[in-house]
Amino acid sequence: GQPLPASARVVVVGGGIIGTSIAYHLAHMGCDDVALLERDDLTSGTTWHAAGLMVTYGSLSETATEIRKYSRALYARLEAETGQATGLNQCGFIELATSAERLEEYRRVSAFNRYCGVDVHEISAREVQDLFPIARVDDVLAGFYVEDDGRVNPVDVTMALARGARMNGARLITGVSATGVTRKNGAVTGVTTEHGVIACEYVVNCTGMWARQFGEQHGVIIPNQAAEHYYLITDEVDGISRDWPVLEDPGNYGYYREEVGGLMVGLFEPVSAPWQVGSVPENFSFGELEPDWERMTPYLESAMSRVPISLDSGIKKFFCGPESFTPDLAPIVGEAPELKNYFVAAGLNSIGILSAGGLGRVVAHWLLNGTADVDVTGFNIDRFHGYQCNPDYRRDRALESLGTVYKCHFPTRSMGTARGARRSALHDRLAAAGAYFTEVSGWEAPDWFAPAGEIAQVEKLSFGRMNWWPYWEAEHRACREGVILMDMSIMSKFLVQGRDAGKLLERISANRVDGEAGVITYTQWLNELGLLEADLTVTKLEHDRFLVVVTDTMHRHAETWMKRHILDEEHAVVTDVT
């Protein structure tokens, strides 16, 4: 094949839609020294079998919504730029609400999405039927309709991004496997392949469901896990049109769209099946799995009941292919805390196609400018911990996380699987006092306490006040009007010691923290743009000893921020004492 370059500024590993989008955006931003490595052909992992929905509706994150809007706009203009069609069909998208809870959830989502500039309208069951005539609507309370959303062809989009990347000087090399990376002084220096080493300044791991395994070789924590993912395609259906909107019905675990004259029925079953928990085979390319008819039949029947004609149509294909999911259903993106200049963009939880355009832009900007230009807190790789890579944790959590995609997303719902990973020294006493525990960054944290004689349980999840409200209120009053003892074990704590500990903390803190000993100072840490990186307290214990306390979610972020800001000539040591 193609000769390998001896060096490149950036090496992107993985030629799915995410990797090609990052290569495309790097090249567009003026970094023409980019090499992308794909061990097989472009799209061979999970991109090729994606359903290709291009939907801007549905996220409660401003960053994620902007990423979707940008992706849709990019896919709309790629053909004119590259001459390669993307198959974008802005046929519209409808989300169905068939219960009071879903109606509440989608009205909240819609209000937020409209605030973010997504043109979503609440429509009646009758209007749903007008737009998608073969749907059964007798139980539909409302539909949420976005006229400009729709679908794309994932392979075509990837090829258009690849062509655009090449037109701007990027090198895309297929049939070559990346086998590892080289490193020096805690930073990445190159990528190894079976045909030699490519020296580089940055590596981006876009290897999809292989990302954890690739990262493991160089100590990077990437806890994504492959799971079975299904869709069915029927024989031709009379009168169906490719201009009908994509219809999504989470209450019946299904989404529906036209596919070559038939109907595609996609599934997100509530209890899923993790795949290859040990490791995903290296040579699995354009691969299909044997469908589990027995397990899937009840979910399939439920989904098909929304479009009754599908039950009478022949089945052309029942497809099962693996896709990767993360412990909290958010992607894994950013610079690895364990290895400088090593970036990751993986774990897209079934929304890789509709996120790829915007995510490529965000990662390229982050890499070239040293800081992201959007709020990346929600998907930053440094939110994860080593225990989340353990096989039992991944197996149990993947089962639940795919299952929650189509469940009602109540604001106080806590994950139920893979629990008990971290417990405070007071756990048994808190439990004896009637604590109801939720998961907070892997910790079992008391959310509220049931009064004596009552069982600590949530009776029914809701968007309103729940059964525990009065207990919670009493606790607040006790705190405001009296005094309480609070277990702060979940907070992340670091000892910063050494001759220059005070100098380091003074330099990275917005407030003055190196005054007299015995003082606690509340402060922020800012990046070079003056934007927040962390919000914390610094306690000066002695002239060369400090205690830094940050929130649970920012544990590794704060630790990495401190360590990366110690100058070569400084003597300061950061120790995790959480």
Side-chain angles (χ1 to χ4, degrees):
Q2 306 120 296
L4 277 194
S7 69
R9 186 169 177 211
V10 183
V11 176
V12 177
V13 183
I17 194 166
I18 303 291
T20 50
S21 177
I22 291 172
Y24 169 91
H25 284 92
L26 284 167
H28 262 270
M29 289 180 190
C31 176
D32 54 5
D33 191 12
V34 177
L36 179 146
L37 297 178
E38 163 53 50
R39 64 188 171 82
D40 195 306
D41 276 324
L42 298 181
T43 78
S44 68
T46 51
T47 297
W48 71 275
H49 67 70
L53 307 191
M54 182 53 252
V55 175
T56 56
Y57 170 85
S59 174
L60 285 174
S61 149
E62 188 169 5
T63 303
T65 305
E66 290 301 326
I67 280 173
R68 295 170 180 207
K69 286 164 59 186
Y70 175 92
S71 298
R72 191 179 70 184
L74 173 67
Y75 302 163
R77 66 172 190 264
L78 270 178
E79 185 172 359
E81 180 195 323
T82 64
Q84 160 77 44
T86 59
L88 177 65
N89 176 4
Q90 290 177 279
C91 53
F93 169 78
I94 304 171
E95 184 86 81
L96 294 184
T98 53
S99 68
E101 280 97 359
R102 294 222 185 252
L103 189 60
E104 174 74 21
E105 179 181 350
Y106 296 151
R107 281 177 173 165
R108 287 172 177 232
V109 170
S110 297
F112 179 76
N113 285 178
R114 278 192 287 269
Y115 162 78
C116 294
V118 175
D119 188 23
V120 52
H121 297 269
E122 185 174 326
I123 61 174
S124 68
R126 175 70 199 276
E127 290 170 290
V128 171
Q129 183 114 64
D130 290 344
L131 289 160
F132 205 101
I134 57 176
R136 174 179 61 79
V137 298
D138 56 348
D139 60 345
V140 170
L141 300 177
F144 293 83
Y145 177 50
V146 182
E147 195 177 353
D148 294 334
D149 281 351
R151 49 187 280 203
V152 291
N153 183 326
V155 173
D156 288 347
V157 175
T158 307
M159 295 310 173
L161 288 165
R163 185 175 291 177
R166 285 193 179 108
M167 285 163 63
N168 284 280
R171 278 171 290 192
L172 277 61
I173 302 158
T174 54
V176 174
S177 290
T179 54
V181 300
T182 56
R183 55 197 294 171
K184 189 181 176 187
N185 298 338
V188 77
T189 55
V191 173
T192 58
T193 76
E194 66 260 46
H195 303 297
V197 180
I198 306 175
C200 66
E201 202 180 322
Y202 297 97
V203 173
V204 193
N205 174 350
C206 303
T207 58
M209 59 183 170
W210 290 271
R212 178 183 54 80
Q213 287 153 239
F214 189 59
E216 232 166 38
Q217 303 174 17
H218 22 274
V220 176
I221 292 167
I222 306 170
N224 65 330
Q225 172 59 45
E228 293 180 6
H229 192 51
Y230 289 86
Y231 56 74
L232 178 139
I233 297 169
T234 70
D235 287 334
E236 285 192 24
V237 172
D238 281 347
I240 197 168
S241 165
R242 61 184 309 275
D243 296 324
W244 290 357
V246 174
L247 185 66
E248 193 166 67
D249 177 20
N252 283 306
Y253 324 119
Y255 61 87
Y256 317 86
R257 67 166 180 76
E258 181 275 342
E259 174 70 24
V260 291
L263 183 74
M264 173 190 272
V265 181
L267 295 162
F268 281 95
E269 69 276 20
V271 181
S272 66
W275 182 70
Q276 297 286 6
V277 174
S279 67
V280 176
E282 292 296 334
N283 58 355
F284 186 84
S285 265
F286 295 105
E288 296 187 33
L289 308 179
E290 189 60 40
D292 183 343
W293 282 93
E294 194 179 346
R295 183 175 76 81
M296 294 304 293
T297 296
Y299 305 126
L300 201 51
E301 285 172 350
S302 176
M304 292 170 89
S305 72
R306 175 59 61 206
V307 186
I309 196 170
S310 64
L311 294 161
D312 306 325
S313 312
I315 294 172
K316 190 183 286 178
K317 176 92 180 151
F318 188 33
F319 177 86
C320 177
E323 224 170 290
S324 84
F325 293 83
T326 66
D328 57 3
L329 269 187
I332 304 174
V333 184
E335 187 179 10
E338 303 87 352
L339 190 55
K340 209 165 161 18
N341 297 345
Y342 181 100
F343 280 74
V344 177
L348 268 295
N349 304 291
S350 269
I351 55 166
I353 307 300
L354 59 89
S355 307
L359 197 59
R361 190 207 66 76
V362 168
V363 173
H365 183 283
W366 193 343
L367 204 143
L368 295 177
N369 296 289
T371 176
D373 61 344
V374 296
D375 178 8
V376 294
T377 317
F379 53 74
N380 199 323
I381 184 172
D382 62 19
R383 73 189 185 278
F384 289 118
H385 295 266
Y387 72 88
Q388 293 175 290
C389 285
N390 109 35
D392 290 338
Y393 179 96
R394 282 187 286 110
R395 178 190 299 109
D396 294 350
R397 185 54 70 85
L399 202 116
E400 184 176 20
S401 67
L402 183 148
T404 55
V405 173
Y406 272 5
K407 287 202 175 114
C408 213
H409 303 98
F410 295 106
T412 57
R413 187 186 174 279
S414 200
M415 288 292 208
T417 56
R419 292 287 296 267
R422 308 161 101 184
R423 290 182 167 179
S424 109
L426 303 173
H427 183 86
D428 54 340
R429 276 162 281 184
L430 295 166
Y436 176 82
F437 294 96
T438 55
E439 185 209 26
V440 179
S441 298
W443 290 93
E444 293 298 318
D447 209 22
W448 45 268
F449 292 84
E454 304 232 352
I455 298 167
Q457 64 183 14
V458 172
E459 278 159 20
K460 188 177 184 297
L461 285 167
S462 145
F463 286 95
R465 291 183 179 182
M466 287 180 258
N467 61 300
W468 45 263
W469 177 267
Y471 320 149
W472 201 61
E473 183 187 24
E475 205 177 311
H476 269 258
R477 288 200 186 283
C479 180
R480 289 179 181 204
E481 295 162 13
V483 63
I484 63 161
L485 181 65
M486 189 185 289
D487 178 14
M488 299 298 277
S489 300
I490 68 167
M491 297 293 273
S492 305
K493 303 160 201 81
F494 302 95
L495 266 185
V496 186
Q497 304 175 90
R499 181 190 69 214
D500 300 308
K503 211 157 101 187
L504 163 72
L505 291 168
E506 186 83 343
R507 186 171 65 249
I508 64 175
S509 301
N511 209 341
R512 281 287 163 80
V513 297
D514 192 12
E516 54 186 298
V519 174
I520 301 177
T521 309
Y522 172 50
T523 186
Q524 282 70 39
W525 290 345
L526 310 177
N527 58 32
E528 284 172 8
L529 299 174
L531 301 173
L532 284 176
E533 288 290 340
D535 175 85
L536 62 143
T537 62
V538 176
T539 305
K540 183 169 181 178
L541 302 168
E542 295 168 47
H543 74 95
D544 58 353
R545 250 176 106 234
F546 294 77
L547 179 69
V548 170
V549 181
V550 303
T551 181
D552 60 282
T553 52
M554 301 305 274
H555 187 121
R556 300 185 74 218
H557 185 77
E559 182 178 19
T560 308
W561 192 257
M562 285 189 278
K563 287 179 173 174
R564 294 223 170 128
H565 282 86
I566 299 170
L567 305 177
D568 289 344
E569 67 276 8
E570 283 183 327
H571 184 264
V573 181
V574 177
T575 312
D576 181 359
V577 293
T578 306

